[in-house]
């Protein structure tokens, strides 16, 4: 996916929120900071709009009149992979972790400061920009490692047995960062792409464990994505890009 800087060409953000006041507040803040914002009030509207145009990022409220926000995130990742920021009124850790498990990039709990929301949006888009595999390996978008093939353009992997395994946008972007520099230790902060990251943020660990599952990498004894205690993670395999 492409996520360009607002100053260059505005990133498009779809805002799924059923409360008009909150939606107005979010769109006003994002527009003020140079983003292009579209408001959609129901899950169905958002999914059908995302089929016409894949936005750079979707802000998804979990409490919706027509369907569960989690279901929206799941269907988005299947149909139109893009960055996702979950907006939740339920201050419930299981919901947040589940959201990240489904491939969301971050979450924010209501009530929130508009500036905080804008900062999160920027941070997610920067992370995607930095990890866009195109930038580091030229036109090369296909990685081969340990019998696997990763197609960064399609957010998909082919397993050694030929099975197709799909990835969320967040997982694909994380895997691309790891594959670009195999055998290098990345700290959680580097993988999150932020220096002032919340030390209790579990999103990287959740995403790593999802990637391991998809790679059939035993979490008790991972062979591919290794945990370096006190330091972070590294990808332990030979990788070639084509
Ligand atoms: Ca709501």
């Amino acid at each position: 996916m492409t996520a360009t800087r607002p100053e260059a060409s505005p990133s498009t953000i779809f805002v799924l929120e059923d409360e008009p006041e909150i939606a107005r507040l979010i769109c006003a803040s994002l527009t003020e900071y140079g983003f292009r914002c579209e408001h959609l009030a129901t899950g169905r509207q958002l999914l059908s709009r995302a089929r016409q145009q894949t936005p750079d990022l979707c802000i998804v409220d979990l409490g919706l009149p027509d369907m569960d926000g989690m279901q929206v995130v799941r269907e988005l990742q299947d149909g139109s992979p893009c960055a996702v920021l979950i907006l939740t009124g339920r201050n419930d850790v299981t919901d947040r972790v589940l959201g990240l498990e489904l491939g969301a990039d971050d979450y924010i709990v209501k009530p929130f400061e508009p500036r905080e929301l804008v900062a999160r949006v920027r941070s997610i888009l920067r992370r995607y920009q930095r990890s866009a595999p195109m930038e580091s390996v030229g036109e090369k978008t296909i990685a081969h490692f340990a019998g696997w093939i990763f197609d960064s353009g399609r957010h998909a992997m082919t397993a050694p047995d030929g099975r197709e395994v799909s990835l969320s946008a967040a997982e694909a972007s994380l895997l691309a960062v790891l594959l670009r520099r195999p055998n290098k230790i990345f700290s959680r902060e580097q993988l999150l792409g932020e220096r002032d990251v919340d030390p209790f943020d579990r999103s990287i660990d959740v995403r790593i464990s999802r990637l391991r599952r998809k790679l059939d990498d035993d979490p008790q004894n991972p062979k591919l994505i290794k945990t370096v205690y006190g330091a972070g993670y590294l990808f332990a395999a030979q990788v070639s890009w084509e």
Side-chain angles (χ1 to χ4, degrees):
M1 63 167 279
T2 54
T4 44
R5 269 182 301 179
E7 308 87 69
S9 114
S11 294
T12 300
I13 298 173
F14 290 175
V15 177
L16 172 55
E17 168 61 67
D18 59 312
E19 288 167 66
E21 274 307 313
I22 298 179
R24 216 177 350 257
L25 176 70
I26 294 173
C27 285
S29 315
L30 290 171
T31 310
E32 186 188 337
Y33 283 89
F35 295 101
R36 214 178 69 75
C37 197
E38 267 183 53
H39 171 223
L40 300 121
T42 69
R44 290 278 155 236
Q45 280 174 19
L46 175 91
L47 290 169
S48 94
R49 182 69 185 95
R51 274 192 291 273
Q52 300 165 337
Q53 186 197 340
T54 304
D56 294 292
L57 184 141
C58 280
I59 296 176
V60 176
D61 177 31
L62 288 188
L64 295 165
D66 67 327
M67 62 191 288
D68 184 358
M70 295 290 189
Q71 183 61 28
V72 175
V73 174
R74 200 174 291 130
E75 290 189 28
L76 262 181
Q77 296 298 355
D78 288 342
S80 330
C82 64
V84 173
L85 174 65
I86 285 179
L87 198 57
T88 173
R90 324 170 198 165
N91 196 350
D92 184 332
V93 173
T94 42
D95 267 1
R96 300 191 222 164
V97 171
L98 180 57
L100 296 170
E101 289 249 345
L102 290 175
D105 292 272
D106 204 352
Y107 57 83
I108 198 161
V109 178
K110 293 180 191 171
F112 56 88
E113 283 290 323
R115 275 171 182 277
E116 169 70 7
L117 178 106
V118 170
R120 299 286 185 100
V121 164
R122 282 179 153 172
S123 144
I124 295 171
L125 292 176
R126 262 204 309 273
R127 204 184 305 159
Y128 274 93
Q129 251 180 318
R130 215 186 342 253
S131 61
M134 306 286 188
E135 289 174 14
S136 61
V137 287
E139 295 304 303
K140 298 175 177 180
T141 57
I142 314 269
H144 295 257
F145 59 92
W148 290 81
I149 304 167
F150 167 59
D151 184 341
S152 62
R154 290 194 307 119
H155 295 163
M157 300 188 294
T158 309
D161 62 10
R163 235 174 342 117
E164 275 274 309
V165 179
S166 64
L167 298 169
S168 72
E171 290 157 7
S173 125
L174 175 59
L175 182 61
V177 170
L178 291 167
L179 290 176
R180 199 162 65 188
R181 299 283 300 279
N183 300 308
K184 171 190 156 54
I185 298 172
F186 286 97
S187 67
R188 285 177 177 73
E189 290 76 9
Q190 285 171 322
L191 293 174
L192 275 168
E194 282 301 285
R195 236 174 252 147
D196 53 345
V197 69
D198 174 0
F200 300 107
D201 192 335
R202 289 195 50 211
S203 62
I204 279 298
D205 303 298
V206 172
R207 228 168 282 156
I208 290 279
S209 59
R210 266 184 68 89
L211 265 182
R212 278 183 179 145
R213 266 204 306 276
K214 291 190 173 180
L215 288 163
D216 304 323
D217 207 11
D218 176 7
Q220 300 309 314
N221 183 24
K223 298 272 186 288
L224 289 174
I225 305 180
K226 301 224 181 227
T227 304
V228 184
Y229 288 98
Y233 296 101
L234 70 75
F235 198 87
Q238 276 212 314
V239 180
S240 62
W241 286 88
E242 62 165 297

